[in-house]
Amino acid sequence: VPEGFSIQFAGEQAEQQEAYSSLTFVFLLALALVYMVMASQFESLLHPFVIMFSIPFAAIGVILILFLTGTHLSIPAYIGIIMLAGIVVNNAIVLVDYINLMRSQGTEMREAILESGRRRLRPILMTTLTTVFALVPMALGIGAGAEMQAPMARTVVGGLTVSTLFTLFFIPTLYSLFEDARAKLRRNHGV
């Protein structure tokens, strides 16, 4: 580039960059709102924090399915990522809520975690599978206009599937670790 000149992207490229920055803000806002709603429902700051750990596992599924299908990260795919911020936490909410219910009834923590895993496995799998199966036609591009929304459907299918598999094992473990750490802090500080 000669001296005194510069290159600047404009037109469609500039609009796309602006759209991505707006979507990033919307994603962060969605995460904050989901956390605040859960914090008010659980009346705790710790349990929603544990539940929010299911979201990074969705990212693994999103990257994997976009790679396997050769789909580019587009605006519809990004909208699917924003949708996942609210969808994937449902499975962890079901687990943590049942663990809390059993513990409030006097069940020891380890037993409550194991029993909630057994009792909530079917509802978690049913809700995940109904969502995934409902989105499969759109993810395959079947139907009028579905090919434009296929990246969004693929994103949700991949993110939800992987997140569910990890949530079933990781969230109870994380719950146990955080509760043990909280109990240790209470003992050390006499709270």
Side-chain angles (χ1 to χ4, degrees):
V1 178
E3 190 176 327
F5 289 91
S6 64
I7 296 175
Q8 181 179 5
F9 292 105
E12 195 172 319
Q13 175 68 24
E15 289 177 22
Q16 189 174 13
Q17 290 300 331
E18 185 179 324
Y20 279 126
S21 65
S22 296
L23 287 173
T24 301
F25 172 73
V26 169
F27 177 70
L28 295 174
L29 181 63
L31 289 178
L33 290 173
V34 166
Y35 182 81
M36 287 189 298
V37 168
M38 285 191 301
S40 67
Q41 286 297 109
F42 281 103
E43 297 177 358
S44 164
L45 296 176
L46 180 65
H47 296 144
F49 184 70
V50 170
I51 291 168
M52 295 295 280
F53 271 93
S54 60
I55 294 175
F57 296 121
I60 296 169
V62 168
I63 292 167
L64 190 63
I65 200 160
L66 291 179
F67 176 74
L68 292 175
T69 60
T71 306
H72 298 287
L73 184 62
S74 59
I75 300 294
Y78 212 93
I79 291 170
I81 292 170
I82 294 169
M83 288 171 52
L84 279 172
I87 295 172
V88 299
V89 296
N90 290 339
N91 297 331
I93 289 171
V94 168
L95 272 176
V96 170
D97 186 49
Y98 201 75
I99 292 170
N100 288 340
L101 176 69
M102 291 190 70
R103 289 188 68 202
S104 71
Q105 294 173 350
T107 309
E108 185 259 324
M109 184 172 60
R110 180 173 167 74
E111 180 60 33
I113 289 172
L114 292 173
E115 189 62 26
S116 70
R118 276 192 290 271
R119 289 192 182 188
R120 292 295 159 216
L121 177 63
R122 189 174 6 165
I124 287 171
L125 290 179
M126 285 171 53
T127 56
T128 298
L129 291 174
T130 55
T131 305
V132 168
F133 288 150
L135 288 172
V136 164
M138 189 185 298
L140 295 174
I142 299 171
E147 59 276 342
M148 289 194 60
Q149 299 303 325
M152 179 184 66
R154 290 177 190 145
T155 300
V156 173
V157 167
L160 185 57
T161 302
V162 171
S163 176
T164 298
L165 295 175
F166 277 104
T167 296
L168 290 171
F169 300 103
F170 184 72
I171 295 300
T173 304
L174 195 62
Y175 181 95
S176 176
L177 291 173
F178 275 97
E179 285 295 324
D180 288 343
R182 184 162 74 169
K184 190 180 290 186
L185 278 172
R186 285 183 178 166
R187 280 193 308 269
N188 290 343
H189 296 307
V191 177

